Structures are given as structure tokens and as C-alpha cells.
Amino acid sequence: MQILVLGGTGFLSSAVVRAARDAGHDVAAVTRGRQGAPPDGVRHLVGDRDDAVSLRAAVAGFAGGRPDAVIDTCGYTVAGAHAAGEVLGSTPAYVYVSSISAYDGRLPGPIVDESHPTWPHDADLTEYGPMKAESERVLAAATDGRALLARAGLIVGPGDRTRRLTWWLHRFATQDAVVVPDGLDVPIAVVDARDLAGWLVSAAERGLTGPVTATGPVGMTTYGGLLEACRAAVAAGGGRAGEMVVVDEDRLLAAGVEPWRDLPLWLPHAAATGAWAVGTDRARELGLPSRLVEESVTDTWRWMADAGLDHPEPPESLARAASV
């Protein structure tokens, strides 16, 4: 197949182009050319995916005027969805990487399956979740319903420069005592970028359509399990591996610790229970794999050795909370 990837140099997108290339496809990637080139063996097409004229010029070299499949990994504006739909909507297979944030976050309760409502048209489309929901609608219409809408969850693995998972690895490697929140038994779910990338390529090959909540099964690990995997990875690599100091969430909040920002991946218990409870039965039926969290964490730690990531010092609020 001739596969066009929108993106190709980012965390997930570079994994996608490698997976497509390694599967034997003729792969081209459209990027703005600001972050280098995609991996070897992938044609680099320079263009602005948010601009239909620029995008059309970038993809003009495909035989027959269009690829066999598009994997859209970098949609961050509704304008980008309109441009891609205008230029590439007739492509036989279209895979759009959306997000579980597309589900309407105002509604209470867990997300049982893909029938859960997404953000409506009149939501603030400058916000990430509503933007993803509207982009889904735009691309579904442009492809006459042929698009696969892959609502990705929390993506982890080597190559992750978001400084979420790596923040914890860095803390365990550099601190003797690592403040962690209580509620470590809260079930969470993640998806390794390599698993998701390979599955997206497979979805394009198979012509899958419709929405799919694309993340690991709920309860595949717990928040504490993820942190312990970080500590164990550092220890196994010869590091000193700091010990966890569990602090009650009320003390953390009273000290001014901001969930998710100051303690990555942490949400207070009342919010966490619903936020992580996302049903993935369709993803499992369609073959989305889910490797062990320990493998993802260990591989990320090994990647960090040469990644050159810098991490800020923990905020003073953490020290205040631990000393109360």
C-alpha cells in the first residue's frame, strides 16, 4: 500500500511511519519540516496540513493522485481537519488519531463504550477535547463515514518527551525520597506508542471504520503499580532508586500541589475513578495489543539514557506537603 502519514517526526507519528515502513508499505510523511526528517526509508513531503493548498501540493506526487491510506496523527485544529478532508477525503482508508478527551467531560460516570456522547458543536473548539470531537465529525463527513476514529488514551513508551512518565523515572533516579499521593490502588490504563502505531497501520490495511477507544484495558495496572514499575526500572538499571513517601491527597492539595502538573498522571480520587474508567471492548475485539506496563516503563528508562531530556526540580509545594 501507499500510506501517507500526516506527521512523522513526533512521538506517535514516528512510531507509525516506522511500523508502516517495516510492514513493507510505501510510506510518505507530511511535516512542516521544523523538527527534522522522518526515519530512514520514509519519503519526506514538506507542507502545512492545516492549509489545503499546501497539503495538496505536498501530496501531488502520489501515483494516481492519492495514497491508498492516510494515517492522520497530528490533527490539532479543526481547520486542519477541514483541509485534510478536502484534499484526502476520497482516500479509500482514513485513520484519524483522536483522543478519549473527545468524550464529553461534563457528563458524570464512566465511559462504557464508544456510544458515550462527545463534545457538541457549540463547545469551545479552542479546547483540546471539543476540538478533537469536532475534527472527528468533519473527517467522518469528508470520508462518507469511512474514517477510523482512534480515540487514544494516555500514550507511553520510548520517545515520550511529554515529561510525564519520564518525570517519575527521573525523580526515582535522583531523589532518595519521592513524594507520591495516596490512592495508589486506583486502576489506570495506558497504551504503548509502539502497540498503538502497529495497530493503526493494521487498521488502515483492514479498512476499519468508526470510533474506537484506543487504549489499554481499564485495570491493566494501578497508579501505584505504574510508580513501582518506574522505581524497579531505575533499580534494575543500576540506579539508586529512591523510596516512595506516601502523602495523603488532602495534605497535597492543601499545600498547593496541582494534580497532573506537579505530580504527573495524578488526579484526586474523586476525579480519578471516573477519568480512568473507559471501556475498551471494541479495541480488544479489533486486536489492539496491550504489552505489560513494566516493559513500556523499562524501555522508556533505557531510551532516556541518550534522550537528553531535562526535568525541572519538584515544586516546593511537595516538600511542604511531606513535612506537615
Side-chain angles (χ1 to χ4, degrees), residues 5 26 47 81 114-115 127 147 152 160 163 202 229-230 232-233 244 262 280 301 308 313-314:
V5 180
D26 178 6
E114 288 78 5
S115 67
E127 295 290 332
D160 179 6
R163 293 170 176 79
S202 172
C230 291
M244 296 188 205
D262 293 339
T280 63
W301 174 238
E313 290 299 311

Side-chain angles (χ1 to χ4, degrees), residues 109-147:
I111 297 168
V112 176
D113 58 30
E114 288 78 5
S115 67
H116 189 96
T118 56
W119 288 98
H121 291 280
D122 58 357
D124 183 356
L125 300 184
T126 64
E127 295 290 332
Y128 183 70
M131 176 275 294
K132 282 293 191 182
E134 184 67 11
S135 294
E136 286 187 5
R137 288 187 284 267
V138 168
L139 289 167
T143 60
D144 293 326
R146 295 188 313 280

Side-chain angles (χ1 to χ4, degrees), residues 198-216:
W199 181 78
L200 293 170
V201 173
S202 172
E205 294 168 341
R206 292 182 285 166
L208 299 182
T209 63
V212 182
T213 304
T215 190

Side-chain angles (χ1 to χ4, degrees), residues 167-300:
W167 188 96
W168 284 110
L169 286 161
H170 178 73
R171 289 275 69 78
F172 281 110
T174 59
Q175 302 290 319
D176 293 326
V178 180
V179 173
V180 302
D182 64 350
L184 297 177
D185 59 344
V186 171
I188 68 171
V190 299
V191 61
D192 191 289
R194 296 164 292 181
D195 291 337
L196 180 57
W199 181 78
L200 293 170
V201 173
S202 172
E205 294 168 341
R206 292 182 285 166
L208 299 182
T209 63
V212 182
T213 304
T215 190
V218 64
M220 62 184 292
T221 189
T222 62
Y223 190 63
L226 180 65
L227 298 185
E228 177 55 33
C230 291
R231 193 203 64 77
V234 171
R240 60 180 176 176
E243 296 297 325
M244 296 188 205
V245 177
V246 180
V247 178
D248 182 83
E249 74 170 40
D250 290 337
R251 284 170 53 186
L252 292 170
L253 295 171
V257 176
E258 293 193 31
W260 205 270
R261 192 191 75 171
D262 293 339
L263 286 176
L265 315 182
W266 170 58
L267 293 170
H269 192 271
T273 303
W276 292 109
V278 180
T280 63
D281 287 350
R282 186 166 193 240
R284 307 280 79 79
E285 292 169 1
L286 294 177
L288 176 61
S290 182
R291 73 184 66 199
L292 293 175
V293 168
E294 290 80 4
E295 180 182 345
S296 298
V297 171
T298 297
D299 290 349
T300 302

Side-chain angles (χ1 to χ4, degrees), residues 2-88:
Q2 287 196 110
I3 296 181
L4 176 70
V5 180
L6 300 185
T9 57
F11 175 30
L12 177 62
S13 62
S14 60
V16 168
V17 293
R18 284 193 296 268
R21 176 201 63 191
D22 294 348
H25 298 294
D26 178 6
V27 186
V30 175
T31 82
R32 293 183 174 92
R34 298 172 183 170
Q35 298 183 34
D40 291 343
V42 176
R43 282 183 290 156
H44 190 194
L45 308 176
V46 178
D48 183 353
R49 63 83 35 86
D50 283 2
D51 180 88
V53 173
S54 178
L55 181 59
R56 183 175 288 108
V59 303
F62 272 103
R66 71 180 187 189
D68 300 310
V70 171
I71 303 178
D72 184 348
T73 69
C74 64
Y76 282 93
T77 67
V78 176
H82 279 292
E86 178 182 334
V87 176
L88 298 165

